[in-house]
Tab-separated table of all heavy atoms in Angstrom:
chain	number	residue	atom	x	y	z
A	14	SER	N	-133.195	-55.268	27.805
A	14	SER	CA	-132.952	-56.065	29.011
A	14	SER	C	-132.633	-55.225	30.225
A	14	SER	O	-132.254	-55.732	31.259
A	14	SER	CB	-131.821	-57.075	28.804
A	14	SER	OG	-130.563	-56.442	28.867
A	20	ASN	N	-140.740	-42.157	36.429
A	20	ASN	CA	-140.577	-41.243	37.567
A	20	ASN	C	-141.954	-40.839	38.060
A	20	ASN	O	-142.304	-39.679	38.084
A	20	ASN	CB	-139.795	-40.007	37.134
A	20	ASN	CG	-139.485	-39.122	38.313
A	20	ASN	OD1	-139.271	-39.598	39.411
A	20	ASN	ND2	-139.444	-37.825	38.077
A	26	PRO	N	-152.843	-41.767	46.575
A	26	PRO	CA	-153.574	-42.035	45.340
A	26	PRO	C	-153.553	-40.864	44.415
A	26	PRO	O	-153.683	-39.721	44.829
A	26	PRO	CB	-154.993	-42.339	45.844
A	26	PRO	CG	-155.077	-41.647	47.165
A	26	PRO	CD	-153.704	-41.719	47.740
A	49	GLY	N	-121.550	-25.895	25.234
A	49	GLY	CA	-120.260	-26.414	25.652
A	49	GLY	C	-119.109	-25.444	25.482
A	49	GLY	O	-118.008	-25.709	25.943
A	50	ASP	N	-119.341	-24.319	24.836
A	50	ASP	CA	-118.274	-23.344	24.630
A	50	ASP	C	-118.198	-22.433	25.841
A	50	ASP	O	-118.990	-21.516	26.006
A	50	ASP	CB	-118.539	-22.519	23.371
A	50	ASP	CG	-117.401	-21.543	23.064
A	50	ASP	OD1	-116.446	-21.494	23.864
A	50	ASP	OD2	-117.472	-20.857	22.031
A	51	THR	N	-117.264	-22.705	26.725
A	51	THR	CA	-117.123	-21.906	27.949
A	51	THR	C	-116.060	-20.823	27.803
A	51	THR	O	-115.720	-20.153	28.772
A	51	THR	CB	-116.758	-22.824	29.131
A	51	THR	OG1	-115.537	-23.512	28.816
A	51	THR	CG2	-117.852	-23.844	29.386
A	54	LYS	N	-117.338	-15.283	26.846
A	54	LYS	CA	-117.860	-14.626	28.037
A	54	LYS	C	-119.069	-13.784	27.654
A	54	LYS	O	-118.965	-12.879	26.829
A	54	LYS	CB	-116.785	-13.745	28.681
A	54	LYS	CG	-115.508	-14.497	29.043
A	54	LYS	CD	-115.758	-15.616	30.038
A	54	LYS	CE	-114.462	-16.328	30.432
A	54	LYS	NZ	-114.701	-17.451	31.349
A	58	PRO	N	-126.880	-8.390	31.819
A	58	PRO	CA	-127.163	-7.129	32.506
A	58	PRO	C	-127.342	-7.357	33.999
A	58	PRO	O	-127.824	-8.414	34.423
A	58	PRO	CB	-128.471	-6.663	31.857
A	58	PRO	CG	-129.095	-7.900	31.319
A	58	PRO	CD	-127.958	-8.786	30.899
A	68	LEU	N	-141.322	-8.231	41.543
A	68	LEU	CA	-141.776	-9.490	40.961
A	68	LEU	C	-141.918	-10.583	42.026
A	68	LEU	O	-142.826	-11.415	41.952
A	68	LEU	CB	-140.801	-9.940	39.876
A	68	LEU	CG	-140.788	-9.090	38.606
A	68	LEU	CD1	-139.661	-9.536	37.676
A	68	LEU	CD2	-142.130	-9.153	37.883
A	86	THR	N	-133.674	-14.019	51.311
A	86	THR	CA	-133.083	-14.785	50.215
A	86	THR	C	-132.126	-13.884	49.432
A	86	THR	O	-132.372	-12.684	49.285
A	86	THR	CB	-134.166	-15.326	49.273
A	86	THR	OG1	-134.924	-14.245	48.748
A	86	THR	CG2	-135.100	-16.272	50.017
A	92	GLY	N	-128.289	-12.646	34.806
A	92	GLY	CA	-128.668	-13.740	33.926
A	92	GLY	C	-129.748	-14.645	34.480
A	92	GLY	O	-130.098	-15.644	33.851
A	105	GLY	N	-139.510	-36.239	30.572
A	105	GLY	CA	-139.531	-37.630	30.157
A	105	GLY	C	-138.166	-38.138	29.739
A	105	GLY	O	-137.126	-37.555	30.064
A	113	GLY	N	-143.161	-39.933	30.226
A	113	GLY	CA	-143.494	-38.525	30.087
A	113	GLY	C	-143.652	-38.117	28.648
A	113	GLY	O	-143.229	-38.817	27.714
A	115	LEU	N	-142.188	-36.007	26.907
A	115	LEU	CA	-140.955	-35.771	26.160
A	115	LEU	C	-140.615	-36.940	25.239
A	115	LEU	O	-140.111	-36.746	24.135
A	115	LEU	CB	-139.798	-35.508	27.133
A	115	LEU	CG	-138.404	-35.332	26.539
A	115	LEU	CD1	-138.365	-34.195	25.533
A	115	LEU	CD2	-137.374	-35.103	27.636
A	152	VAL	N	-130.503	-40.087	34.510
A	152	VAL	CA	-130.175	-41.281	35.292
A	152	VAL	C	-131.497	-41.847	35.791
A	152	VAL	O	-132.237	-41.160	36.491
A	152	VAL	CB	-129.229	-40.964	36.468
A	152	VAL	CG1	-128.924	-42.239	37.264
A	152	VAL	CG2	-127.928	-40.336	35.967
A	153	VAL	N	-131.793	-43.093	35.404
A	153	VAL	CA	-133.123	-43.657	35.615
A	153	VAL	C	-133.082	-44.816	36.598
A	153	VAL	O	-132.313	-45.766	36.418
A	153	VAL	CB	-133.718	-44.145	34.278
A	153	VAL	CG1	-135.142	-44.649	34.472
A	153	VAL	CG2	-133.693	-43.030	33.241
A	166	HIS	N	-129.714	-46.726	35.837
A	166	HIS	CA	-129.013	-46.760	34.555
A	166	HIS	C	-128.792	-45.350	34.045
A	166	HIS	O	-129.714	-44.536	34.004
A	166	HIS	CB	-129.797	-47.598	33.538
A	166	HIS	CG	-129.821	-49.049	33.879
A	166	HIS	ND1	-128.697	-49.849	33.837
A	166	HIS	CD2	-130.832	-49.846	34.312
A	166	HIS	CE1	-129.016	-51.072	34.222
A	166	HIS	NE2	-130.298	-51.098	34.512
A	168	MET	N	-128.129	-42.783	31.197
A	168	MET	CA	-128.438	-42.697	29.782
A	168	MET	C	-127.185	-42.284	28.991
A	168	MET	O	-126.334	-41.553	29.502
A	168	MET	CB	-129.566	-41.693	29.543
A	168	MET	CG	-130.884	-42.078	30.212
A	168	MET	SD	-131.598	-43.623	29.592
A	168	MET	CE	-131.116	-44.796	30.866
A	216	PHE	N	-130.540	-28.459	36.402
A	216	PHE	CA	-130.472	-29.764	37.067
A	216	PHE	C	-131.729	-30.046	37.885
A	216	PHE	O	-132.354	-29.137	38.426
A	216	PHE	CB	-129.249	-29.805	37.987
A	216	PHE	CG	-128.905	-31.181	38.489
A	216	PHE	CD1	-128.369	-32.133	37.633
A	216	PHE	CD2	-129.124	-31.527	39.817
A	216	PHE	CE1	-128.051	-33.408	38.092
A	216	PHE	CE2	-128.808	-32.792	40.286
A	216	PHE	CZ	-128.273	-33.738	39.421
A	225	LYS	N	-131.803	-44.564	50.462
A	225	LYS	CA	-130.692	-44.551	51.419
A	225	LYS	C	-130.666	-45.769	52.337
A	225	LYS	O	-129.612	-46.113	52.884
A	225	LYS	CB	-130.741	-43.279	52.256
A	225	LYS	CG	-130.447	-42.027	51.462
A	225	LYS	CD	-130.349	-40.823	52.372
A	225	LYS	CE	-129.915	-39.601	51.580
A	225	LYS	NZ	-129.706	-38.420	52.443
A	232	LYS	N	-140.212	-49.802	45.723
A	232	LYS	CA	-140.787	-50.498	46.876
A	232	LYS	C	-141.270	-49.526	47.945
A	232	LYS	O	-142.158	-49.842	48.727
A	232	LYS	CB	-139.750	-51.451	47.484
A	232	LYS	CG	-139.245	-52.523	46.518
A	232	LYS	CD	-140.371	-53.420	46.042
A	232	LYS	CE	-139.834	-54.532	45.135
A	232	LYS	NZ	-140.931	-55.399	44.627
A	236	THR	N	-135.701	-40.535	49.892
A	236	THR	CA	-135.574	-39.280	50.629
A	236	THR	C	-134.245	-38.586	50.339
A	236	THR	O	-133.243	-39.234	50.012
A	236	THR	CB	-135.685	-39.540	52.148
A	236	THR	OG1	-135.665	-38.293	52.858
A	236	THR	CG2	-134.528	-40.394	52.648
A	237	TYR	N	-134.264	-37.272	50.434
A	237	TYR	CA	-133.058	-36.453	50.493
A	237	TYR	C	-133.150	-35.561	51.720
A	237	TYR	O	-134.243	-35.112	52.097
A	237	TYR	CB	-132.919	-35.555	49.265
A	237	TYR	CG	-132.303	-36.205	48.053
A	237	TYR	CD1	-132.904	-36.100	46.803
A	237	TYR	CD2	-131.096	-36.901	48.145
A	237	TYR	CE1	-132.340	-36.679	45.680
A	237	TYR	CE2	-130.525	-37.476	47.029
A	237	TYR	CZ	-131.151	-37.369	45.801
A	237	TYR	OH	-130.587	-37.949	44.691
A	269	THR	N	-144.250	-35.788	49.363
A	269	THR	CA	-144.506	-36.229	50.738
A	269	THR	C	-143.570	-35.460	51.669
A	269	THR	O	-142.565	-34.876	51.228
A	269	THR	CB	-144.256	-37.735	50.937
A	269	THR	OG1	-142.842	-37.990	50.872
A	269	THR	CG2	-144.989	-38.572	49.901
A	282	HIS	N	-128.128	-19.696	47.419
A	282	HIS	CA	-126.950	-19.058	46.832
A	282	HIS	C	-127.381	-18.081	45.742
A	282	HIS	O	-128.356	-18.342	45.028
A	282	HIS	CB	-126.036	-20.110	46.192
A	282	HIS	CG	-125.595	-21.204	47.106
A	282	HIS	ND1	-124.411	-21.157	47.805
A	282	HIS	CD2	-126.179	-22.387	47.439
A	282	HIS	CE1	-124.276	-22.262	48.521
A	282	HIS	NE2	-125.343	-23.018	48.313
A	299	LEU	N	-156.859	-33.439	45.553
A	299	LEU	CA	-155.694	-34.153	46.079
A	299	LEU	C	-154.418	-33.363	45.819
A	299	LEU	O	-153.548	-33.231	46.691
A	299	LEU	CB	-155.599	-35.532	45.446
A	299	LEU	CG	-154.457	-36.432	45.931
A	299	LEU	CD1	-154.525	-36.639	47.430
A	299	LEU	CD2	-154.505	-37.776	45.206
A	330	PRO	N	-162.909	-35.625	39.156
A	330	PRO	CA	-163.742	-35.238	38.011
A	330	PRO	C	-163.075	-35.392	36.642
A	330	PRO	O	-163.499	-34.765	35.679
A	330	PRO	CB	-164.020	-33.769	38.299
A	330	PRO	CG	-162.779	-33.287	38.981
A	330	PRO	CD	-162.320	-34.444	39.829
Side-chain angles (χ1 to χ4, degrees):
S14 77
N20 186 33
D50 184 358
T51 58
K54 303 300 182 183
L68 291 173
T86 59
L115 176 58
V152 179
V153 184
H166 292 292
M168 298 297 100
F216 193 71
K225 292 187 174 184
K232 300 299 183 182
T236 184
Y237 277 131
T269 71
H282 304 266
L299 182 57

